[in-house]
Amino acid sequence: MNTIVTFPGLGLEFEINRVAFTIGGINIYWYGVLIACGLLLAIFFGFRHCLESGIDPDAMVDVVVIGTVLGILSARAYYVAMSPYAFDSLWDVLDIRQGGLGIYGGIIGALVFGGLACKWRKVPVLAMYDLTSMGFLIGQGIGRWGNFVNQEAFGYNTTLPWGMYSEATRAYLTYGSVTLPAGMTIDPSLPVHPTFLYESIWCLAGFVFLAFYYKKRRFNGDIALLYLIWYGAGRFWIEGLRTDSLLLVPSIGLRASQLVAALAVVGGIALQIFLSRRTAGKPLMVDLAVSAENRALQSKLEKKTGGPVSVEMEGSALYAALPRKEFAAKTAEYNAALKARLEEELAQAD
């Protein structure tokens, strides 16, 4: 079913269909397609820059798979927990094809389970969080357009030129579970804030800013904290415009997501100040990524010797500000030398 979406102040009109295509009688929705595109671009960015963060791409695959799958499940769990709607069955709870992912749940789930996967695969956790934060901004910037196609997650009435109107917004505001601060009213027949657009622009702008800053990061976790501050600040403002959020304090319009956003901003700023002072004047050195093959050799040698085996060698760390090509060349050189050393030590241990 097609929906006509208009932006009266701009003289724009779009005819959209939630279904992107059909395979074997199963509808594939734009919501899922856009989230998948954002995820793929985020993964591409991660593989493109992982060596600059001291992360082995083979080990990163496991971290990405675990973090992504459990992050999506956490996002759905967060949405279900915070949603004003009733879910009739377990299938309704699990069905995300109609939309319904709580981004904060996804972020928390990805960081927790991805962090555990990092420990398992011996990937530097804070460095992985930096890379993941860049991926979040890409994924969120693109994925939010799924809300546009679904005509959901919009805001209050607005007289701004880019105000949006459709029969879907009118129907929801007339019959849906609208959450408004005490004393506020809304007219379903008037344009509303396209909050999906605000968040998409905010996230993509944040990505551009942090992409330029990435080489200048001062400590592992720097990018992740800046992400929390940037996204939290934008989300606090944007969430205050929406009509579908869980209100914690109706009298002042405080929403659950705004509280989480505020905590992210305050916590991020506090840690930024503390860690920036602690690392002042010290350029960040990145330990070169140890390949999966060498990790296996290291583990084998440790079993034979019964003790820890160091992978540190001369030239095993580089300044974070150096070009990506230098990281790639030095990482290959380092792993070749490390492999020769570990194989020699294994031969001696036999």
Side-chain angles (χ1 to χ4, degrees), residues 223-261:
I223 299 295
L225 290 176
L226 290 174
Y227 163 77
L228 286 178
I229 297 167
W230 178 267
Y231 181 70
R235 186 59 185 265
F236 186 90
W237 159 61
I238 294 167
E239 195 71 19
L241 300 174
R242 286 176 55 170
T243 58
D244 60 348
S245 304
L246 177 65
L247 284 169
L248 287 181
V249 187
S251 60
I252 61 173
L254 180 66
R255 291 110 193 291
S257 289
Q258 284 183 302
L259 177 60
V260 177

Side-chain angles (χ1 to χ4, degrees), residues 27-98:
N27 290 333
I28 306 300
Y29 293 93
W30 278 112
Y31 184 85
V33 171
L34 288 164
I35 288 177
C37 288
L39 176 61
L40 288 174
L41 286 174
I43 291 173
F44 174 80
F45 180 89
F47 278 109
R48 176 81 174 169
H49 296 281
C50 61
L51 293 180
E52 299 166 69
S53 298
I55 299 171
D56 175 59
D58 290 333
M60 193 177 77
V61 170
D62 293 328
V63 175
V64 168
V65 170
I66 292 172
T68 299
V69 173
L70 294 179
I72 291 174
L73 291 176
S74 299
R76 183 60 175 177
Y78 183 95
Y79 174 82
V80 170
M82 296 295 182
S83 175
Y85 307 113
F87 294 87
D88 298 325
S89 65
L90 179 60
W91 172 247
D92 289 336
V93 170
L94 297 176
D95 184 15
I96 64 173
R97 295 194 307 153
Q98 306 299 321

Side-chain angles (χ1 to χ4, degrees), residues 53-293:
S53 298
I55 299 171
D56 175 59
D58 290 333
M60 193 177 77
V61 170
D62 293 328
V63 175
V64 168
V65 170
I66 292 172
T68 299
V69 173
L70 294 179
I72 291 174
L73 291 176
S74 299
R76 183 60 175 177
Y78 183 95
Y79 174 82
V80 170
M82 296 295 182
S83 175
Y85 307 113
F87 294 87
D88 298 325
S89 65
L90 179 60
W91 172 247
D92 289 336
V93 170
L94 297 176
D95 184 15
I96 64 173
R97 295 194 307 153
Q98 306 299 321
L101 295 174
I103 188 61
Y104 278 121
I107 292 171
I108 293 169
L111 293 181
V112 170
F113 294 109
L116 292 174
C118 285
K119 291 292 186 182
W120 167 52
R121 295 295 279 125
K122 296 184 178 180
V123 169
V125 177
L126 293 180
M128 187 67 203
Y129 282 176
D130 284 338
L131 208 55
T132 301
S133 297
M134 299 296 291
F136 281 158
L137 290 170
I138 297 172
Q140 291 166 245
I142 295 172
R144 274 300 174 191
W145 285 86
N147 297 136
F148 170 65
V149 177
N150 283 357
Q151 283 294 280
E152 61 188 4
F154 46 81
Y156 304 142
N157 294 136
T158 180
T159 57
L160 293 169
W162 50 82
M164 177 181 72
Y165 174 81
S166 71
E167 277 301 306
T169 62
R170 185 198 63 78
Y172 175 80
L173 294 175
T174 302
Y175 305 109
S177 301
V178 180
T179 54
L180 298 174
M184 177 175 283
T185 59
I186 193 166
D187 187 339
S189 65
L190 295 178
V192 295
H193 283 285
T195 51
F196 80 91
L197 178 62
Y198 300 165
E199 188 163 335
S200 176
I201 293 172
W202 185 264
C203 288
L204 294 177
F207 171 77
V208 172
F209 162 66
L210 291 181
F212 279 108
Y213 178 74
Y214 199 81
K215 282 292 185 181
K216 300 175 183 178
R217 64 194 189 280
R218 295 161 294 176
F219 52 87
N220 286 326
D222 189 7
I223 299 295
L225 290 176
L226 290 174
Y227 163 77
L228 286 178
I229 297 167
W230 178 267
Y231 181 70
R235 186 59 185 265
F236 186 90
W237 159 61
I238 294 167
E239 195 71 19
L241 300 174
R242 286 176 55 170
T243 58
D244 60 348
S245 304
L246 177 65
L247 284 169
L248 287 181
V249 187
S251 60
I252 61 173
L254 180 66
R255 291 110 193 291
S257 289
Q258 284 183 302
L259 177 60
V260 177
L263 292 174
V265 172
V266 172
I269 291 174
L271 285 172
Q272 265 287 337
I273 293 172
F274 173 75
L275 293 173
S276 295
R277 288 178 177 176
R278 193 175 174 184
T279 57
K282 301 176 185 177
L284 176 62
M285 297 293 293
V286 176
D287 292 328
L288 296 178
V290 179
S291 68
E293 182 182 13

Side-chain angles (χ1 to χ4, degrees), residues 314-329:
E314 185 179 351
S316 62
L318 291 178
Y319 288 107
L322 291 174
R324 185 178 65 86
K325 287 185 178 180
E326 188 161 348
F327 267 93

Side-chain angles (χ1 to χ4, degrees), residues 1-6 13-21 29-30 148-151 165-169:
M1 179 179 176
N2 292 344
T3 300
I4 304 297
V5 182
T6 63
E13 180 177 293
F14 301 93
E15 183 175 351
I16 59 176
N17 191 317
R18 294 175 56 241
V19 179
F21 52 90
Y29 293 93
W30 278 112
F148 170 65
V149 177
N150 283 357
Q151 283 294 280
Y165 174 81
S166 71
E167 277 301 306
T169 62

